[in-house]
């Protein structure tokens, strides 16, 4: 049951004769921000007032007159200019809790409106280091899959691995001419990553050398332009604007010159690198040629690709295993290779794509940049592959919804992709780019491993676990008699470390950038996985101490007594689980679920401070409180499990 929706449904019935489009009105019914306004507040009377030409209080009164809600709520109150405040009846809350006591799903029923959804997430690029951005996609995508499944949908998780991109040309070139055999034998994936980086650096360098004169010229021209303008400028608004715009362009041009010079000097200051560049002129083009050969079936390049791929995939799988994440499918870009020519011909046949300056493009209204599906040299693109993928998901997997959990910097790509797919005839499916922001370092720069000078992903997980181990050790050593063996401690540290990393990511609104901060991530108080995990273990401890069996607890008697505001608040929070799941799935924002967990954990901690379980005034009250404790533990376990986070009974 979704309590919020139940309340909204009652309003929908009450408003049926008053408004035609009830959905946006119902959105204005929300949990009350402040307990003194009750449990729910409806704020629609003010905005409706204009539409209906009546004073808001009158509208509120009409709605309340038609509202049949006395089985759930105390009589509604109209406050101020026309707010409707609702307070649930205590008996209703108590009765609902006793119905869901002992239920891991906390009374949430699977949906009847089942959808077939493909979730595309993680998508690392083989042989390039997997970076924290991919980790973010992995963690968010997995939480979305788990929550959708819990809600009853049919979900296929698909890892669209970048196993066919231009990096392979670089790697093949690097492997052929620059490899270190001993290093390759020792750690093939590491060596391939090194080669990728090396070829990338050399081609960046050579490109920079080639384009520097032009950039300098642009900057110089702007400078002259500015000088001329400044002399002749009047101080009218228009000239001021023009001057401002030139200033801006000049700043950007100067910045480009600076960056390019930096790239150049970083290679030239390294004798070996510089020499390598001289013996491999035109490396970018040579690497591109290798990619083209791979894509067009060259036997030797395909042999190398087949040689590299298994080790690369294994390295990725190690990370997934440590994260406890599985995919239903892992159809990488290469899977679609044979379908790409047909995609382009089909787009052409439907007059959606045309050749422009040698490249085959789809032009989407409102977008300046064309969506290129075949380049001048005949190569297909990331876009072509994504179109083939959509066709496969629609026709073979019968998906009616496709989610892409990908960095928000790709939003233009997805905008064009979805628009093209719709024009192409896939418009009976729903598409969403579930975008997310950048993980930042404490220095305010993106935290990434690609450049090689930041922590690699595996070492990141190692560090999380090492840090978690310290916390677990300290905690257990503080006990009169420690409860955990060394193996137990290692297992708990794994749960805390990995959970900490995941939660830190999920509890931010996914669109925002956030700062990666170990101390905040593993803090034992506040909005962290560690805090929730400790809360869970503490409840398990209560049951151990009181020697109460949680399994049979609610089976005989599940009468709930709400004798204090704290018990009531906790119970109500527990009843809001369904609303938080629906809220999370509405726009695929995991922080909706973490907020509910945190608020519920907070309600529990206040309840536990105020209400003694062991010394409750009566056995009935003790029993009722035990049921609340048990339900809280289930809430934590289930809620965290939807985020891919585990709990331990003893920590
Ligand atoms: N490999 C891509 C990247 O690293 C992400 C893939 C996302 N999925 C997709 N169907 N385009 O940027």
């Amino acid at each position: 049951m979704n309590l919020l929706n139940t309340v909204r449904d009652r309003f929908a019935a009450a408003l049926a004769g008053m408004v035609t489009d009830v959905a946006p009105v119902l959105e204005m019914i929300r949990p009350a921000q402040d307990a003194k306004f009750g449990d729910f507040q409806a704020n629609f009377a003010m905005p409706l007032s204009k539409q209906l030409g009546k004073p808001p209080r009158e509208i509120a009164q009409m709605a309340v007159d038609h509202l049949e809600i006395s089985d759930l709520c105390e009589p509604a109150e109209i406050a101020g200019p026309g707010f409707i405040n609702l307070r649930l009846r205590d008996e209703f809350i108590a009765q609902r809790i006793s119905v869901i006591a002992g239920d891991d799903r906390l009374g949430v029923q699977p949906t009847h409106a089942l959808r077939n959804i493909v979730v595309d997430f993680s998508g690392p690029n083989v042989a390039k280091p997997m970076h924290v951005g991919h980790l973010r996609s992995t963690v968010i995508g997995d939480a979305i899959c788990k929550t959708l499944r819990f809600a009853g949908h049919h979900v296929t998780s698909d890892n669209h691995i970048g196993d066919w991109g231009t990096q392979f040309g670089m790697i093949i070139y690097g492997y052929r001419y620059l490899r270190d055999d001993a290093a390759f034998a020792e750690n093939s994936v590491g060596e391939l990553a090194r080669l990728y980086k090396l070829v990338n650096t050399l081609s960046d360098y050579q490109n920079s050398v080639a384009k520097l004169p032009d950039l300098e010229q642009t900057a110089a021209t702007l400078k002259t332009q500015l000088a001329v303008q400044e002399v002749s400028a009047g101080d009218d608004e228009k000239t001021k604007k023009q001057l401002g715009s030139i200033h801006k362009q000049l700043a950007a041009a100067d910045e480009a010159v600076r960056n390019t010079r930096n790239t150049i000097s970083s290679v030239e200051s390294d004798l070996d690198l510089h020499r390598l560049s001289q013996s491999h002129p035109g490396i970018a083009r040579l690497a591109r040629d290798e990619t083209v050969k791979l894509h067009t079936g060259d036997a030797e390049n395909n042999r190398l690709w087949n040689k590299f791929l298994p080790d690369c995939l294994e390295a990725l799988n190690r990370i997934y295993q440590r994260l406890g994440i599985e995919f239903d499918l892992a159809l990488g870009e290469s899977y679609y290779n044979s379908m790409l020519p047909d995609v382009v011909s089909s787009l052409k046949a439907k007059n959606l794509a045309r050749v422009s300056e040698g490249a085959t493009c789809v032009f989407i209204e409102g977008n300046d940049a064309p969506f290129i599906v075949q380049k001048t040299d005949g190569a297909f693109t990331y876009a072509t592959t994504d179109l083939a993928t959509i066709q496969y998901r629609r026709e073979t997997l019968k998906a009616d919804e496709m989610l892409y959990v990908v960095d928000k910097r790709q939003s233009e790509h997805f905008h064009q992709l979805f628009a093209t797919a719709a024009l192409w005839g896939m418009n009976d499916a729903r598409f969403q780019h579930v975008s997310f922001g950048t993980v930042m370092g404490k220095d305010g720069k993106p935290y990434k491993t690609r450049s090689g000078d930041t922590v690699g992903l595996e070492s990141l997980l190692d560090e999380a676990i090492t840090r978690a181990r310290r916390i677990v050790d300290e905690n257990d050593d503080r006990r009169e008699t420690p409860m955990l063996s060394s193996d137990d401690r290692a297992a708990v540290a794994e749960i805390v470390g990995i959970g900490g990393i995941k939660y830190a990511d999920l509890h931010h609104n996914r669109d925002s950038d956030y700062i990666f901060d170990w101390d905040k991530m593993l803090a034992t108080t506040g909005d962290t996985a560690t805090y929730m995990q400790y809360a869970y273990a503490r409840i398990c401890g209560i049951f151990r101490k009181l020697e109460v069996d949680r399994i049979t607890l609610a089976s005989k008697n599940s009468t709930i007594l709400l004798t204090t505001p704290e018990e009531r608040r906790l119970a109500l929070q527990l009843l809001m689980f369904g609303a938080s799941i629906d809220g999370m799935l509405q726009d695929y924002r995991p922080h909706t679920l973490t907020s509910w967990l945190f608020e519920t954990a907070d309600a529990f901690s206040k309840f536990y401070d105020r209400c003694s379980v062991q010394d409750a005034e009566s056995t009935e009250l003790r029993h009722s409180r035990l049921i609340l404790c048990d339900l809280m533990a289930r809430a934590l376990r289930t809620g965290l499990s939807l985020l891919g986070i585990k709990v331990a009974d003893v920590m």
Side-chain angles (χ1 to χ4, degrees), residues 120 123 125 134 160 382 386 404 406 410 414:
D120 178 320
N125 298 315
H134 293 119
H160 191 75
Y382 184 53
D386 258 334
Y404 294 79
V406 184
Q410 292 192 31
F414 286 106

Side-chain angles (χ1 to χ4, degrees), residues 8-154:
R8 286 179 172 169
D9 287 348
R10 301 296 176 92
F11 270 102
L15 294 168
M18 287 165 66
V19 283
T20 37
D21 186 10
V22 80
V25 180
L26 298 182
E27 286 288 311
M28 287 179 266
I29 303 163
R30 303 217 178 91
Q33 293 294 330
D34 186 332
K36 71 172 181 270
F37 302 127
D39 301 321
F40 295 98
Q41 191 167 55
N43 297 347
F44 55 70
M46 285 69 76
L48 272 188
S49 157
K50 230 196 201 146
Q51 192 183 323
L52 301 180
K54 289 199 173 79
R57 281 193 71 100
E58 198 175 308
I59 291 171
Q61 191 61 55
M62 276 161 67
V64 166
D65 288 344
H66 289 95
L67 188 64
E68 286 183 27
I69 204 163
S70 57
D71 53 330
L72 310 180
C73 294
E74 308 287 351
E77 277 174 19
I78 299 172
F83 297 111
I84 303 172
N85 295 335
L86 289 174
R87 186 181 155 85
L88 293 166
R89 289 173 41 227
D90 289 0
E91 309 86 88
F92 169 76
I93 297 178
Q95 182 265 337
R96 281 301 307 163
I97 291 286
S98 80
V99 170
I100 67 171
D103 181 7
D104 272 343
R105 295 184 58 96
L106 276 76
V108 176
Q109 304 295 330
T111 178
H112 297 299
L114 183 143
R115 301 198 298 273
N116 187 4
I117 305 170
V118 171
V119 187
D120 178 320
F121 68 99
S122 197
N125 298 315
V126 169
K128 295 195 209 175
M130 179 170 170
H131 58 73
V132 284
H134 293 119
L135 179 66
R136 197 156 193 208
S137 167
T138 309
V139 168
I140 296 174
D142 185 53
I144 291 174
C145 287
K146 289 190 158 88
T147 311
L148 278 170
R149 286 200 183 102
F150 180 82
H153 295 289
H154 184 272

Side-chain angles (χ1 to χ4, degrees), residues 216-267:
E216 285 173 336
Q217 183 60 47
T218 311
T221 313
L222 284 166
K223 215 168 280 164
T224 321
Q225 218 180 340
L226 192 65
V228 173
Q229 284 264 357
E230 268 173 346
V231 174
S232 63
D235 47 30
D236 57 302
E237 277 308 306
K238 197 172 156 215
T239 1
K240 267 195 206 148
K241 245 198 190 144
Q242 269 173 351
L243 272 180
S245 141
I246 301 179
H247 266 294
K248 251 198 209 138
Q249 289 175 45
L250 180 59
D254 279 342
E255 162 102 9
V257 169
R258 238 186 343 266
N259 288 341
T260 310
R261 284 191 187 139
N262 282 342
T263 308
I264 294 173
S265 69
S266 71
V267 168

Side-chain angles (χ1 to χ4, degrees), residues 276-335:
L276 269 184
S277 171
Q278 280 161 339
S279 31
H280 296 271
I283 199 168
R285 189 182 40 78
L286 295 173
R288 250 192 330 267
D289 291 347
E290 298 301 342
T291 308
V292 173
K293 274 160 67 189
L294 172 71
H295 287 180
T296 49
D298 175 80
E300 177 56 16
N301 280 10
N302 275 275
R303 186 187 70 80
L304 286 178
W305 184 82
N306 278 307
K307 175 183 165 87
F308 300 154
L309 204 65
D311 290 354
C312 296
L313 293 181
E314 198 187 295
L316 291 176
N317 284 333
R318 245 193 342 259
I319 296 204
Y320 295 132
Q321 209 165 21
R322 294 188 65 181
L323 291 171
I325 288 174
E326 284 171 26
F327 293 89
D328 299 313
L329 296 174
L331 301 178
E333 292 174 3
S334 63
Y335 183 78

